[in-house]
Every structure is written in C-alpha cells, then in structure tokens.
Amino acid sequence: MRTANRVASLLLAATLLAGGALLAVQALLITLDRPAPLLAPTGWYDTLTSARWRDPGVRAVAGGAVLLGLAVLAAQLRRWTPVRLRVDERDGWYLHRRCVERRLADAASTVPGVRRARVRVRRRGAEWRPRVRATGDPAARAEVEFAVHQELHHLAAPRTGRIEVRLLPREWPV
Amino acid sequence: MTDAAHRLLWTIVALLLVAGGTVTLAASFGVLPGGDPGAALLSAGFLTRWRLATPWTTLAAAVAGALLALTGHRLLGWELRPPRSAVRGTLSHPGRRPGRTRLRADVLVHALERDLTGGPGVRRAQVVLTGAPPRPDVWIRVDLTADARAAGVRDHVRAAVRRFAATAGCQPAHLDVTARIEPGRP
C-alpha cells in the first residue's frame, strides 16, 4: 500500500502540474484572442450541454466515483503492517521486517528437501511469531523450526513465540 | 513525504470522491431540493455568459490553472526530495573559561555516519537529527552486510552514539535505529 500511495501521489502531482499548466496557457491564449484548440467549445461542450442529470451514464460515473472513493478510504483507514519490527524498546533498535522475513525464508530453504519458503513475522506484544510456508517433506518440520530459530538468534531477535511451520508435500507432475 | 502524509492526502481525495459522487447521484435522482434531474449538466447559455464576462473568466481560468500547476509542482517536489536533517546551523557551547565552542550540525551528522560505517558489518549509515539542538532526536538507518552479527552491530552503534554525545556535548533525547540486513544464505 505504501508503494501504491507513492506511485499514485507521483501520478497525481504530474497530472496536476501538466493539466494546470495546459489550462493556464490555453486560457491566456483565449484572453489574447489566439487560437486555443483544447478549450475551444467542440465535442466536450456539446456532450456536457446535451447530457441530463438522470442519464444512466452520469449515474454510472457518479456511482463509480463513490465506489472508488470508498475503496480508497477503506485501504487508507485499515491497519497497515508496520515496516519495522521492534527488537529492543530501551535502545530504540528496529529491524526492517521485509529483510527479516527474507533472511528467515533463506534459513528455512537451507534444510534439505525444503523449497520455496515464505515467512511472515507478526508481533504479539514483545514476542515475534514467525509463520513459515514452504514446499517439502512434512517430516522436516523440526529441522525448519531449528533453522529459523538459529537465524533469529543470529539476528539477536527478542523472545520468539511458537514458530508456525506448514510444509506442503511437493506436487508431482501428472 | 512520509507515509502518514500520503495516507492523509489519499483519505482527503477519497472523501472528495465520495462526496462528489453522492451529490451527483442525489441530483440525478432528484433528491436535492430545487434540483431538476431532467436539466442538462451544463446549461446552453453557459457559453454566452462566459463570453460576455471575458476577459475576466479566461483570466480566472488561467489563475486556476496556474494554482493547480503550482500545487502539482510542490507535491512533486515533496515526493522527490530526499529526507534531510531538520537540525541546521551551528551548535554553540559556552566553556568554563572565556570563549565558546561552535560545531556545524551537518559536520556532526557526517562524522556520526562515518563512525557508524567504520564498524564491522555496516555497509552504509544514514543519520537524521531532529528536535532542539541541546537534546536532539537521532534517527539512524544502517545497512548491514549479510554476514553481520546483529548483536555486535548494536554494541557498535551504541558506542558510536556515546562518542557522538561526548564530542558534540548533546545527549540524544530519543534514539531510533533501523537496520536492514542484506539477504544471503546463512
């Protein structure tokens, strides 16, 4: 969502800059009695003067704007996953969440037979709760848990809660 | 721009979309008092009135366009500007004897960054100072190599901040350190 917000803001800024500059230049051209093709009343003026408020097209656009607005509002107001994981409150030390998850996934993938590991780390109070999803033999669960524990120790992570490991057996091609 | 600023911006945009869409729907269904759903979106006499008021209408459009362009320009500037240290100028300390010690804030930031980067496992460090100069808030971001030991780097950062506080004579009021570790096979 953060990246989407940044990209959308950049697009909005570029649109405002280009549209505003174009409008100002065209309006000044009209003031000076010079031809201004974009503001000349052609197609868009006929459309707006012929369309009625009750037209289905107007209702569809208004409904679309309401739905889009509600979707954006819901996306902005819901709780976002923090980008950082707190390690120690006393010395203000944080680790970047994506880096930690990638490191733990790499650690899980070192276990023989385990592939495509993905890790999500949630924080409950001062505790970290890693959740590992991977493809491999379900019997390797303890080894994956050990590897993740070792990596957490390497990262000087705080107290860790239960490590949830889910290993899906490899799907053989038919 | 910060994440919170982006959230605020898009919440306002979303509220404007919902408000505009709701008013248009209300006008379209004839719920608005005095509204006529059968009326055109733009009255046929608009162009005549616009031309009668020329050049004021076109000048108003030009000013509106310039304001929009200016808003877009400022927004683009905020988006593309890298974060900078908020504490600027010179830190000044009166001594016990006559005279004062003056230190430039950006030199201190650079010195702390160099001290942090000198540690084992630290590839890059970025420091931002905010707040009041005697007790500034110190925000640090360190990029660590794949083989860095987090505990060792924490000790190194703590020592570097202690050295910074002793050299500059200003104890950080708040310290915030974010570490990013490179991916790599353990």
Side-chain angles (χ1 to χ4, degrees), chain A residues 34-51:
Chain A
R34 298 286 174 86
L38 289 180
L39 278 190
T42 46
W44 64 267
Y45 183 75
D46 295 337
T47 309
L48 287 179
T49 46
S50 60

Side-chain angles (χ1 to χ4, degrees), chain A residues 58-59 61-67, chain B residues 15-27:
Chain A
V58 174
R59 287 178 182 170
V61 170
V66 171
L67 288 179
Chain B
L15 286 174
L16 288 176
L17 276 174
V18 172
T22 309
V23 169
T24 309
L25 278 179

Side-chain angles (χ1 to χ4, degrees), chain B residues 112 116 138 140 156-166 172 175:
Chain B
L112 180 54
L116 288 167
V138 181
I140 297 173
H156 169 67
V157 170
R158 215 175 288 143
V161 171
R162 264 202 307 273
R163 284 191 291 273
F164 167 80
L175 176 66

Side-chain angles (χ1 to χ4, degrees), chain A:
Chain A
M1 202 60 221
R2 289 172 180 86
T3 312
N5 266 0
R6 280 180 197 281
V7 172
S9 300
L10 271 175
L11 286 177
L12 177 69
T15 309
L16 281 176
L17 182 59
L22 207 61
L23 175 64
V25 169
Q26 296 278 315
L28 280 178
L29 283 175
I30 291 178
T31 311
L32 299 171
D33 284 333
R34 298 286 174 86
L38 289 180
L39 278 190
T42 46
W44 64 267
Y45 183 75
D46 295 337
T47 309
L48 287 179
T49 46
S50 60
R52 310 280 151 194
W53 285 101
R54 64 173 169 228
D55 283 357
V58 174
R59 287 178 182 170
V61 170
V66 171
L67 288 179
L68 179 67
L70 287 175
V72 173
L73 202 60
Q76 300 302 324
L77 296 183
R78 76 183 172 82
R79 191 176 173 277
W80 291 0
T81 310
V83 284
R84 308 187 303 172
L85 285 162
R86 182 184 291 157
V87 180
D88 192 339
E89 200 165 351
R90 286 165 303 167
D91 62 358
W93 187 270
Y94 295 84
L95 284 175
H96 200 260
R97 179 189 296 271
R98 189 82 52 85
C99 294
V100 171
E101 289 174 346
R102 206 175 298 153
R103 294 279 300 204
L104 296 183
D106 286 346
S109 299
T110 55
V111 176
V114 174
R115 291 169 60 241
R116 287 190 294 181
R118 284 167 297 151
V119 178
R120 290 280 170 270
V121 181
R122 295 279 174 268
R123 201 169 58 83
R124 185 71 55 89
E127 237 179 43
W128 288 10
R129 292 193 174 175
R131 186 191 295 167
V132 184
R133 297 272 180 283
T135 307
D137 184 3
R141 190 181 177 284
E143 288 172 71
V144 171
E145 208 171 308
F146 178 75
V148 171
H149 253 306
Q150 287 295 102
E151 186 58 22
L152 284 168
H153 179 69
H154 181 85
L155 295 173
R159 200 154 47 92
T160 311
R162 190 172 64 87
I163 298 175
E164 190 185 321
V165 181
R166 193 170 166 203
L167 289 170
L168 299 171
R170 189 190 294 180
E171 290 171 11
W172 296 100
V174 179

